[in-house]
Amino acid sequence: RRALINLGAAVLLALPASTSAAEPGEVRAVLESATWDETAPFTREDFRRLDESDDSRFYDDPKLVQHIDDAAVASTTSFYSQLFASLAASGEAPPRPLSVLDLCSSWVSHYPPAGTGPPLGRVEGLGMNAAELAANPVLTGYKVQDLNRSPALPYADASFDAVTCTVSIDYLVRPLEVVAEAARVLRPGGKVAFVFSNRLFFSKAVALWTGKDDLEHVYTVGSYVHYGAGGLLTPPEAVDLTPPSARRRGGGKPQGDPLYAVVATRTTAPPRSVS
């Protein structure tokens, strides 16, 4: 399946999904059964892109569009609602407002609407376009920063209860460093969540991503977390968020956008160097 959405000069494309519809247990098993080399197996070529021009030029014009379909958006919001509820339930009683960091943020974070879940306090967004970030109603603060140039996050250690990254992990050329930084700014017990589909700006996605199917994407993101965490995160877990409508088939092809998450929890272990 290849779907195209024209956004000026940019093209949002959907890669082919897995040859058969992935079942939730199958997605979960990708990381449950994963074996890892002692050191990260990635090469510089894995993170090459068709368009190696300055990312700031690519994201200079605001792209106020959804990058996944409506059903996948709803599934993302439901997932974040459950994630935040689990964090609130495991913390203080009564729960304090959660502090959340949205990496690769834009004009929408897909968080649950105010009043429908645990209260959010500080909500920081870090993204590439100031106009998009300014239009995001849930953010209490934001910074413009290119993580491909500067993956160090401008926040203190143990600042956030959750760090999220939605449909953007495929663009990161230094993902292990970003994972390490996400772990650093999380409080013990906090969670990092990478949500992803098969939609992407093909010219800006890394080579490691563009030639793989959905289950391989799950493994790739899990490997980023494993190798980047430096001992500060629990083993990554995979969650199948694909909406029921995307599992229906017409003409043998999935209808709608698949959706997955890889999640890990901040530990209290001493850090180790990133491999």
Side-chain angles (χ1 to χ4, degrees):
R1 179 171 72 94
R2 290 183 182 271
L4 298 176
I5 298 177
N6 291 313
L7 300 173
V11 175
L12 189 65
L13 179 144
L15 290 176
S18 301
T19 55
S20 60
E23 297 298 328
E26 185 180 19
V27 172
R28 185 171 57 251
V30 170
L31 298 184
E32 287 181 343
S33 61
T35 58
W36 311 105
D37 296 334
E38 289 189 13
T39 58
F42 310 118
T43 68
R44 182 175 299 180
E45 293 302 314
D46 288 332
F47 300 106
R48 297 288 190 189
R49 300 168 296 169
L50 289 176
D51 180 0
E52 293 282 11
S53 64
D54 191 334
D55 289 336
S56 64
R57 295 210 306 264
F58 183 85
Y59 294 103
D60 187 52
D61 294 327
K63 298 175 176 64
L64 304 180
V65 298
Q66 299 284 11
H67 296 261
I68 46 179
D69 64 24
D70 290 344
V73 167
S75 183
T76 303
T77 300
S78 176
F79 168 73
Y80 284 141
S81 180
Q82 295 174 53
L83 182 75
F84 297 160
S86 71
L87 287 168
S90 64
E92 302 170 5
R96 57 173 172 75
L98 298 174
S99 295
V100 182
L101 171 60
D102 186 21
L103 296 178
C104 305
S105 189
S106 180
W107 67 284
V108 61
S109 295
H110 304 307
Y111 294 166
T116 63
L120 301 182
R122 180 188 184 191
V123 182
E124 292 284 341
L126 192 150
M128 290 290 293
N129 186 283
E132 292 182 14
L133 294 166
N136 189 325
V138 305
L139 300 182
T140 61
Y142 65 83
K143 297 182 186 297
V144 175
Q145 181 173 322
D146 182 355
L147 290 175
N148 286 340
R149 284 182 175 270
S150 304
L153 299 179
Y155 308 106
D157 295 358
S159 295
F160 298 99
D161 301 295
V163 176
T164 67
C165 180
T166 308
V167 293
S168 296
I169 187 68
D170 41 323
Y171 305 124
L172 296 181
V173 302
R174 300 164 73 176
L176 303 193
E177 293 171 76
V178 172
V179 168
E181 281 292 286
R184 178 184 65 79
V185 302
L186 275 173
R187 296 178 177 128
K191 293 182 181 292
V192 60
F194 296 97
V195 175
F196 51 95
S197 183
N198 64 358
R199 288 278 192 97
L200 76 172
F201 294 114
F202 193 86
S203 65
K204 282 296 185 181
V206 299
L208 187 64
W209 192 270
T210 57
K212 296 188 174 183
D213 68 16
D214 294 349
L215 295 180
E216 291 170 318
H217 290 156
V218 171
Y219 183 86
T220 297
V221 178
S223 69
Y224 290 167
V225 173
H226 173 79
Y227 291 111
L232 291 179
L233 296 173
T234 59
E237 299 179 0
V239 185
D240 190 347
L241 304 177
T242 301
S245 58
R247 299 187 190 281
R248 291 199 298 267
R249 291 179 173 270
K253 296 181 179 180
Q255 305 298 308
D257 293 334
L259 195 71
Y260 311 98
V262 169
V263 185
T265 303
R266 176 65 154 84
T267 69
T268 56
R272 60 174 170 80
S273 60
V274 177
S275 299

mmCIF file of all heavy atoms in Angstrom, residues 24-56:
data_model
loop_
_atom_site.group_PDB
_atom_site.id
_atom_site.type_symbol
_atom_site.label_atom_id
_atom_site.label_comp_id
_atom_site.label_asym_id
_atom_site.label_seq_id
_atom_site.Cartn_x
_atom_site.Cartn_y
_atom_site.Cartn_z
ATOM 1 N N PRO A 24 -2.037 -8.483 17.791
ATOM 2 C CA PRO A 24 -1.430 -7.866 18.968
ATOM 3 C C PRO A 24 -0.361 -8.737 19.621
ATOM 4 O O PRO A 24 0.698 -8.255 20.017
ATOM 5 C CB PRO A 24 -2.629 -7.630 19.889
ATOM 6 C CG PRO A 24 -3.785 -7.450 18.956
ATOM 7 C CD PRO A 24 -3.507 -8.385 17.806
ATOM 8 N N GLY A 25 -0.625 -10.034 19.743
ATOM 9 C CA GLY A 25 0.358 -10.918 20.346
ATOM 10 C C GLY A 25 1.626 -11.017 19.527
ATOM 11 O O GLY A 25 2.731 -11.144 20.078
ATOM 12 N N GLU A 26 1.475 -10.945 18.208
ATOM 13 C CA GLU A 26 2.634 -10.997 17.331
ATOM 14 C C GLU A 26 3.509 -9.766 17.501
ATOM 15 O O GLU A 26 4.744 -9.865 17.535
ATOM 16 C CB GLU A 26 2.155 -11.122 15.886
ATOM 17 C CG GLU A 26 3.245 -11.317 14.855
ATOM 18 C CD GLU A 26 2.688 -11.440 13.447
ATOM 19 O OE1 GLU A 26 1.526 -11.031 13.226
ATOM 20 O OE2 GLU A 26 3.423 -11.923 12.576
ATOM 21 N N VAL A 27 2.888 -8.613 17.621
ATOM 22 C CA VAL A 27 3.634 -7.371 17.820
ATOM 23 C C VAL A 27 4.352 -7.400 19.162
ATOM 24 O O VAL A 27 5.541 -7.067 19.256
ATOM 25 C CB VAL A 27 2.682 -6.160 17.730
ATOM 26 C CG1 VAL A 27 3.394 -4.879 18.129
ATOM 27 C CG2 VAL A 27 2.108 -6.038 16.326
ATOM 28 N N ARG A 28 3.658 -7.794 20.200
ATOM 29 C CA ARG A 28 4.262 -7.854 21.535
ATOM 30 C C ARG A 28 5.447 -8.812 21.556
ATOM 31 O O ARG A 28 6.474 -8.553 22.192
ATOM 32 C CB ARG A 28 3.200 -8.291 22.545
ATOM 33 C CG ARG A 28 3.670 -8.287 23.987
ATOM 34 C CD ARG A 28 2.499 -8.515 24.949
ATOM 35 N NE ARG A 28 1.797 -9.751 24.673
ATOM 36 C CZ ARG A 28 0.573 -9.837 24.156
ATOM 37 N NH1 ARG A 28 -0.080 -8.740 23.831
ATOM 38 N NH2 ARG A 28 -0.004 -11.011 23.957
ATOM 39 N N ALA A 29 5.324 -9.918 20.834
ATOM 40 C CA ALA A 29 6.366 -10.945 20.855
ATOM 41 C C ALA A 29 7.657 -10.490 20.187
ATOM 42 O O ALA A 29 8.720 -11.050 20.454
ATOM 43 C CB ALA A 29 5.852 -12.217 20.183
ATOM 44 N N VAL A 30 7.577 -9.484 19.307
ATOM 45 C CA VAL A 30 8.783 -9.017 18.623
ATOM 46 C C VAL A 30 9.863 -8.640 19.627
ATOM 47 O O VAL A 30 11.038 -9.005 19.480
ATOM 48 C CB VAL A 30 8.457 -7.816 17.710
ATOM 49 C CG1 VAL A 30 9.743 -7.164 17.195
ATOM 50 C CG2 VAL A 30 7.596 -8.254 16.538
ATOM 51 N N LEU A 31 9.491 -7.922 20.670
ATOM 52 C CA LEU A 31 10.477 -7.488 21.658
ATOM 53 C C LEU A 31 10.599 -8.469 22.816
ATOM 54 O O LEU A 31 11.664 -8.564 23.433
ATOM 55 C CB LEU A 31 10.134 -6.096 22.172
ATOM 56 C CG LEU A 31 10.151 -4.992 21.098
ATOM 57 C CD1 LEU A 31 9.899 -3.634 21.728
ATOM 58 C CD2 LEU A 31 11.466 -4.993 20.326
ATOM 59 N N GLU A 32 9.538 -9.201 23.110
ATOM 60 C CA GLU A 32 9.644 -10.202 24.172
ATOM 61 C C GLU A 32 10.667 -11.275 23.817
ATOM 62 O O GLU A 32 11.353 -11.805 24.699
ATOM 63 C CB GLU A 32 8.278 -10.840 24.422
ATOM 64 C CG GLU A 32 7.287 -9.942 25.134
ATOM 65 C CD GLU A 32 5.962 -10.611 25.385
ATOM 66 O OE1 GLU A 32 5.676 -11.645 24.733
ATOM 67 O OE2 GLU A 32 5.198 -10.116 26.228
ATOM 68 N N SER A 33 10.759 -11.594 22.537
ATOM 69 C CA SER A 33 11.670 -12.653 22.100
ATOM 70 C C SER A 33 12.960 -12.113 21.498
ATOM 71 O O SER A 33 13.764 -12.876 20.958
ATOM 72 C CB SER A 33 10.970 -13.541 21.067
ATOM 73 O OG SER A 33 10.597 -12.780 19.916
ATOM 74 N N ALA A 34 13.169 -10.800 21.580
ATOM 75 C CA ALA A 34 14.330 -10.190 20.933
ATOM 76 C C ALA A 34 15.626 -10.612 21.617
ATOM 77 O O ALA A 34 15.691 -10.750 22.837
ATOM 78 C CB ALA A 34 14.207 -8.670 20.951
ATOM 79 N N THR A 35 16.637 -10.838 20.804
ATOM 80 C CA THR A 35 17.998 -11.025 21.308
ATOM 81 C C THR A 35 18.845 -9.883 20.779
ATOM 82 O O THR A 35 18.692 -9.468 19.633
ATOM 83 C CB THR A 35 18.582 -12.375 20.849
ATOM 84 O OG1 THR A 35 18.573 -12.435 19.419
ATOM 85 C CG2 THR A 35 17.766 -13.532 21.412
ATOM 86 N N TRP A 36 19.727 -9.380 21.621
ATOM 87 C CA TRP A 36 20.484 -8.192 21.273
ATOM 88 C C TRP A 36 21.984 -8.492 21.257
ATOM 89 O O TRP A 36 22.485 -9.219 22.117
ATOM 90 C CB TRP A 36 20.223 -7.072 22.283
ATOM 91 C CG TRP A 36 18.784 -6.811 22.577
ATOM 92 C CD1 TRP A 36 18.094 -7.166 23.703
ATOM 93 C CD2 TRP A 36 17.842 -6.133 21.734
ATOM 94 N NE1 TRP A 36 16.783 -6.755 23.617
ATOM 95 C CE2 TRP A 36 16.591 -6.118 22.413
ATOM 96 C CE3 TRP A 36 17.919 -5.542 20.486
ATOM 97 C CZ2 TRP A 36 15.465 -5.534 21.889
ATOM 98 C CZ3 TRP A 36 16.785 -4.954 19.953
ATOM 99 C CH2 TRP A 36 15.571 -4.951 20.648
ATOM 100 N N ASP A 37 22.670 -7.923 20.278
ATOM 101 C CA ASP A 37 24.128 -7.973 20.286
ATOM 102 C C ASP A 37 24.655 -7.157 21.465
ATOM 103 O O ASP A 37 23.946 -6.306 22.015
ATOM 104 C CB ASP A 37 24.696 -7.405 18.984
ATOM 105 C CG ASP A 37 24.312 -8.228 17.770
ATOM 106 O OD1 ASP A 37 24.066 -9.439 17.940
ATOM 107 O OD2 ASP A 37 24.258 -7.661 16.657
ATOM 108 N N GLU A 38 25.894 -7.385 21.830
ATOM 109 C CA GLU A 38 26.462 -6.643 22.957
ATOM 110 C C GLU A 38 26.612 -5.161 22.651
ATOM 111 O O GLU A 38 26.514 -4.329 23.552
ATOM 112 C CB GLU A 38 27.820 -7.237 23.350
ATOM 113 C CG GLU A 38 27.725 -8.599 24.021
ATOM 114 C CD GLU A 38 29.050 -9.044 24.594
ATOM 115 O OE1 GLU A 38 29.970 -8.205 24.688
ATOM 116 O OE2 GLU A 38 29.176 -10.221 24.954
ATOM 117 N N THR A 39 26.889 -4.834 21.405
ATOM 118 C CA THR A 39 27.013 -3.437 21.008
ATOM 119 C C THR A 39 26.024 -3.129 19.895
ATOM 120 O O THR A 39 25.588 -4.035 19.164
ATOM 121 C CB THR A 39 28.437 -3.114 20.530
ATOM 122 O OG1 THR A 39 28.766 -3.971 19.426
ATOM 123 C CG2 THR A 39 29.439 -3.334 21.658
ATOM 124 N N ALA A 40 25.684 -1.888 19.768
ATOM 125 C CA ALA A 40 24.720 -1.477 18.746
ATOM 126 C C ALA A 40 25.247 -1.815 17.354
ATOM 127 O O ALA A 40 26.382 -1.498 17.023
ATOM 128 C CB ALA A 40 24.450 0.020 18.858
ATOM 129 N N PRO A 41 24.413 -2.439 16.505
ATOM 130 C CA PRO A 41 24.882 -2.896 15.200
ATOM 131 C C PRO A 41 24.759 -1.857 14.095
ATOM 132 O O PRO A 41 25.024 -2.157 12.936
ATOM 133 C CB PRO A 41 23.945 -4.082 14.917
ATOM 134 C CG PRO A 41 22.657 -3.673 15.567
ATOM 135 C CD PRO A 41 23.049 -2.904 16.805
ATOM 136 N N PHE A 42 24.397 -0.645 14.427
ATOM 137 C CA PHE A 42 24.088 0.348 13.411
ATOM 138 C C PHE A 42 25.345 0.919 12.761
ATOM 139 O O PHE A 42 26.392 1.020 13.383
ATOM 140 C CB PHE A 42 23.264 1.491 14.010
ATOM 141 C CG PHE A 42 22.079 1.015 14.799
ATOM 142 C CD1 PHE A 42 21.973 1.291 16.157
ATOM 143 C CD2 PHE A 42 21.078 0.274 14.189
ATOM 144 C CE1 PHE A 42 20.889 0.843 16.882
ATOM 145 C CE2 PHE A 42 19.984 -0.175 14.912
ATOM 146 C CZ PHE A 42 19.895 0.104 16.261
ATOM 147 N N THR A 43 25.193 1.309 11.502
ATOM 148 C CA THR A 43 26.264 1.979 10.771
ATOM 149 C C THR A 43 25.810 3.373 10.380
ATOM 150 O O THR A 43 24.609 3.698 10.436
ATOM 151 C CB THR A 43 26.633 1.204 9.502
ATOM 152 O OG1 THR A 43 25.533 1.282 8.566
ATOM 153 C CG2 THR A 43 26.924 -0.259 9.816
ATOM 154 N N ARG A 44 26.753 4.178 9.957
ATOM 155 C CA ARG A 44 26.412 5.528 9.512
ATOM 156 C C ARG A 44 25.441 5.477 8.341
ATOM 157 O O ARG A 44 24.537 6.314 8.227
ATOM 158 C CB ARG A 44 27.683 6.281 9.118
ATOM 159 C CG ARG A 44 27.436 7.720 8.680
ATOM 160 C CD ARG A 44 28.740 8.455 8.423
ATOM 161 N NE ARG A 44 29.551 8.526 9.635
ATOM 162 C CZ ARG A 44 30.741 9.111 9.691
ATOM 163 N NH1 ARG A 44 31.270 9.650 8.604
ATOM 164 N NH2 ARG A 44 31.417 9.151 10.826
ATOM 165 N N GLU A 45 25.577 4.490 7.480
ATOM 166 C CA GLU A 45 24.708 4.378 6.315
ATOM 167 C C GLU A 45 23.256 4.121 6.714
ATOM 168 O O GLU A 45 22.343 4.478 5.969
ATOM 169 C CB GLU A 45 25.199 3.259 5.387
ATOM 170 C CG GLU A 45 26.533 3.548 4.723
ATOM 171 C CD GLU A 45 26.497 4.828 3.895
ATOM 172 O OE1 GLU A 45 25.520 5.010 3.141
ATOM 173 O OE2 GLU A 45 27.431 5.642 4.039
ATOM 174 N N ASP A 46 23.043 3.495 7.870
ATOM 175 C CA ASP A 46 21.673 3.227 8.319
ATOM 176 C C ASP A 46 20.873 4.506 8.511
ATOM 177 O O ASP A 46 19.632 4.489 8.443
ATOM 178 C CB ASP A 46 21.691 2.453 9.641
ATOM 179 C CG ASP A 46 22.134 1.022 9.474
ATOM 180 O OD1 ASP A 46 21.930 0.448 8.389
ATOM 181 O OD2 ASP A 46 22.698 0.458 10.441
ATOM 182 N N PHE A 47 21.571 5.600 8.767
ATOM 183 C CA PHE A 47 20.880 6.850 9.079
ATOM 184 C C PHE A 47 21.037 7.892 7.966
ATOM 185 O O PHE A 47 20.770 9.075 8.180
ATOM 186 C CB PHE A 47 21.368 7.384 10.423
ATOM 187 C CG PHE A 47 21.116 6.413 11.548
ATOM 188 C CD1 PHE A 47 22.162 5.690 12.103
ATOM 189 C CD2 PHE A 47 19.837 6.184 12.002
ATOM 190 C CE1 PHE A 47 21.933 4.765 13.108
ATOM 191 C CE2 PHE A 47 19.589 5.263 13.012
ATOM 192 C CZ PHE A 47 20.641 4.544 13.558
ATOM 193 N N ARG A 48 21.426 7.431 6.783
ATOM 194 C CA ARG A 48 21.422 8.306 5.620
ATOM 195 C C ARG A 48 19.988 8.539 5.161
ATOM 196 O O ARG A 48 19.108 7.709 5.378
ATOM 197 C CB ARG A 48 22.218 7.679 4.475
ATOM 198 C CG ARG A 48 23.696 7.468 4.766
ATOM 199 C CD ARG A 48 24.435 8.764 4.779
ATOM 200 N NE ARG A 48 25.881 8.557 4.833
ATOM 201 C CZ ARG A 48 26.760 9.523 5.030
ATOM 202 N NH1 ARG A 48 26.343 10.772 5.206
ATOM 203 N NH2 ARG A 48 28.051 9.257 5.067
ATOM 204 N N ARG A 49 19.766 9.663 4.490
ATOM 205 C CA ARG A 49 18.440 9.992 3.962
ATOM 206 C C ARG A 49 18.566 10.449 2.515
ATOM 207 O O ARG A 49 19.621 10.948 2.102
ATOM 208 C CB ARG A 49 17.799 11.088 4.822
ATOM 209 C CG ARG A 49 17.626 10.696 6.276
ATOM 210 C CD ARG A 49 17.262 11.875 7.138
ATOM 211 N NE ARG A 49 18.325 12.879 7.165
ATOM 212 C CZ ARG A 49 18.202 14.100 7.673
ATOM 213 N NH1 ARG A 49 17.052 14.470 8.204
ATOM 214 N NH2 ARG A 49 19.198 14.942 7.662
ATOM 215 N N LEU A 50 17.482 10.296 1.778
ATOM 216 C CA LEU A 50 17.498 10.768 0.394
ATOM 217 C C LEU A 50 17.735 12.269 0.335
ATOM 218 O O LEU A 50 18.430 12.765 -0.549
ATOM 219 C CB LEU A 50 16.176 10.408 -0.304
ATOM 220 C CG LEU A 50 15.941 8.939 -0.617
ATOM 221 C CD1 LEU A 50 14.558 8.759 -1.222
ATOM 222 C CD2 LEU A 50 17.019 8.404 -1.558
ATOM 223 N N ASP A 51 17.140 12.991 1.270
ATOM 224 C CA ASP A 51 17.294 14.446 1.341
ATOM 225 C C ASP A 51 18.147 14.787 2.556
ATOM 226 O O ASP A 51 17.670 14.771 3.690
ATOM 227 C CB ASP A 51 15.916 15.111 1.443
ATOM 228 C CG ASP A 51 16.001 16.627 1.520
ATOM 229 O OD1 ASP A 51 17.122 17.171 1.488
ATOM 230 O OD2 ASP A 51 14.935 17.264 1.621
ATOM 231 N N GLU A 52 19.413 15.073 2.320
ATOM 232 C CA GLU A 52 20.324 15.396 3.411
ATOM 233 C C GLU A 52 20.468 16.902 3.610
ATOM 234 O O GLU A 52 21.363 17.357 4.323
ATOM 235 C CB GLU A 52 21.706 14.781 3.147
ATOM 236 C CG GLU A 52 21.725 13.268 3.177
ATOM 237 C CD GLU A 52 21.712 12.705 4.590
ATOM 238 O OE1 GLU A 52 21.483 13.487 5.543
ATOM 239 O OE2 GLU A 52 21.917 11.497 4.746
ATOM 240 N N SER A 53 19.576 17.671 3.006
ATOM 241 C CA SER A 53 19.629 19.123 3.180
ATOM 242 C C SER A 53 19.220 19.493 4.602
ATOM 243 O O SER A 53 18.677 18.677 5.356
ATOM 244 C CB SER A 53 18.705 19.814 2.177
ATOM 245 O OG SER A 53 17.356 19.457 2.408
ATOM 246 N N ASP A 54 19.485 20.723 4.975
ATOM 247 C CA ASP A 54 19.199 21.222 6.320
ATOM 248 C C ASP A 54 17.723 20.989 6.658
ATOM 249 O O ASP A 54 16.825 21.445 5.946
ATOM 250 C CB ASP A 54 19.529 22.718 6.380
ATOM 251 C CG ASP A 54 19.517 23.254 7.800
ATOM 252 O OD1 ASP A 54 18.815 22.689 8.661
ATOM 253 O OD2 ASP A 54 20.211 24.261 8.050
ATOM 254 N N ASP A 55 17.467 20.275 7.755
ATOM 255 C CA ASP A 55 16.089 19.981 8.148
ATOM 256 C C ASP A 55 15.282 21.238 8.436
ATOM 257 O O ASP A 55 14.060 21.250 8.261
ATOM 258 C CB ASP A 55 16.075 19.079 9.381
ATOM 259 C CG ASP A 55 16.523 17.669 9.070
ATOM 260 O OD1 ASP A 55 16.410 17.257 7.910
ATOM 261 O OD2 ASP A 55 16.995 16.977 9.994
ATOM 262 N N SER A 56 15.940 22.292 8.884
ATOM 263 C CA SER A 56 15.212 23.521 9.197
ATOM 264 C C SER A 56 14.529 24.091 7.961
ATOM 265 O O SER A 56 13.457 24.703 8.061
ATOM 266 C CB SER A 56 16.152 24.551 9.828
ATOM 267 O OG SER A 56 17.155 24.951 8.909
#
